[in-house]
Amino acid sequence: MRTSRITPHMARVTLGGTGLAGFVNGGLDQRIKLLLPLPGQTEPLVPDGEEDFTWYQNWRAMDPAVRPVLRTYTVRAQRRDPDELDIDIAVHGDHGPGSRWAMTAAPGDRVTVCGPAIEEAGGVEFHPPAGADWVLLAGDESALPAIAAILDELPAGLPVRVFAEVDGPGEHGYLPADRPATTISWLHRGDPRALALPEAVRAAVLPSGTPYAWIAGESAAVRALRRHLVGERGFDRRAVCFMGYWRAGHTEDQRADEPAESEQE
C-alpha cells in the first residue's frame, strides 16, 4: 500500500497484494467497498458470508464496537504484475474515518476489498444507449474519480459536458483539460458568485441531440438535478443514471443502521 496527493483535496491510495489477483474491474464507474480497521485493530474484522453474498447483512448485524468501517469508492485504475488498485478519495481534513485512512495509510496496512471476481458482476452503472449523441457528467468531489474513469473510456469524438463542484481551482488538475470534444465547467463551492451544481446545469446551454446523463454526489443535489433534467429538459428517465454517493449529515455507517429501504437512492 502506498499513498500520494493528486490535488489539495484528492488523495490516491494504491492497494496491492495477492488477494487482488481474482479482482475483475468492469471499468468506467466500477465501485467497490472497502472494510477499514477500527482504531486499535491491525486489520478489519471481516464478516462471514462471502460465499453466499450475505456478508453485508452480517456486517450490519455486527456489534458497532468491533464492526469495521465500510466505505464505497470507485476504482480509478487497475494493474497486473504486480496486482494493484488505485483508489482516489476526496479528503477534507480529519472529518471522517475514510479521510483519516486515506491521509495516514502506510505500507503494510491491511484492508479488505469487496468487489467483483467475475465479468459483469455489478458495480458499474454507466450504460449509455447506442444512440446517444452526447454525454452529461455531473458531480462533486466524491464523483470525480468515476468521472475521470468514464472519460478515459469514452470515444474521443463523443461530445461530453462535465459539471464538477469542488472547493476551488486547485482541484482542476484532476480532470484532463485537453480531452477532445469535452467542455468542463468547474463550480467553486467557496466562491459566493458560483452556482451550485443543479443551478449551474439549469443555467447552461446544452448540446442538441439525444443525451445520456450520469450524475452522482450528495443525494439532495443529485435528486434536484435529475428532476431538472427529466422534468424541465425533457431527458428520457431511462437516459439519466443518478446515484447519491453521500447524504449531508449522514455517514455510510449511520445509514447501515437505518431501515434497509432507506439505503437505496
Side-chain angles (χ1 to χ4, degrees):
M1 182 183 297
R2 61 183 183 274
T3 62
S4 58
R5 189 59 66 95
I6 308 302
T7 70
H9 293 293
M10 189 69 73
R12 174 165 296 168
V13 180
T14 299
L15 305 178
T18 57
L20 295 175
F23 179 82
V24 178
N25 181 17
L28 298 167
D29 58 337
Q30 175 73 65
R31 66 179 179 274
I32 60 172
K33 292 187 181 294
L34 294 185
L35 295 174
L36 310 177
L38 294 176
Q41 296 177 337
T42 58
E43 59 185 272
L45 182 61
V46 180
D48 296 328
E50 180 181 357
E51 297 299 326
D52 59 2
F53 303 102
T54 61
W55 70 267
Y56 182 69
Q57 290 76 15
N58 294 337
W59 173 83
R60 286 183 50 157
M62 294 175 71
D63 182 347
V66 298
R67 184 172 66 191
V69 174
L70 177 69
R71 291 293 181 268
T72 305
Y73 296 115
T74 300
V75 175
R76 183 62 188 89
Q78 180 182 21
R79 292 176 294 279
R80 299 293 190 188
D81 301 320
D83 290 300
E84 292 184 330
L85 290 181
D86 288 339
I87 310 297
D88 291 353
I89 300 173
V91 294
H92 293 278
D94 190 12
H95 290 171
S99 288
R100 288 196 295 271
W101 173 73
M103 293 187 294
T104 61
D109 288 353
R110 298 180 66 87
V111 300
T112 297
V113 178
C114 302
I118 59 175
E119 297 285 347
E120 300 182 359
V124 176
E125 305 299 334
F126 184 86
H127 297 292
D133 296 314
W134 65 280
V135 169
L136 170 70
L137 303 173
D140 56 25
E141 292 97 333
S142 67
L144 285 185
I147 290 174
I150 290 169
L151 289 174
D152 284 348
E153 298 195 33
L154 288 180
L158 180 67
V160 182
R161 284 297 308 270
V162 179
F163 294 84
E165 186 176 39
V166 297
D167 272 359
E171 307 305 305
H172 292 194
Y174 187 77
L175 296 179
D178 56 353
R179 188 183 184 279
T182 299
T183 301
I184 302 176
S185 297
W186 292 99
L187 315 173
H188 299 159
R189 192 176 297 108
D191 185 347
R193 300 167 298 176
L195 296 175
L197 187 62
E199 288 71 29
V201 176
R202 181 177 288 110
V205 177
L206 299 179
S208 59
T210 302
Y212 177 77
W214 182 100
I215 52 180
E218 198 282 320
S219 293
V222 167
R223 289 196 300 270
L225 182 49
R226 179 179 181 269
R227 285 195 296 267
H228 164 67
L229 294 177
V230 174
E232 299 176 36
R233 296 274 189 175
F235 281 35
D236 188 327
R237 291 177 179 271
R238 297 167 297 179
V240 180
C241 174
F242 68 107
M243 290 154 290
Y245 277 0
W246 61 285
R247 186 186 305 168
H250 291 72
T251 68
E252 198 159 351
D253 309 278
Q254 290 170 324
R255 294 183 69 177
D257 293 324
E258 297 172 354
E261 61 267 18
S262 70
E263 292 186 3
Q264 297 299 319
E265 173 56 33

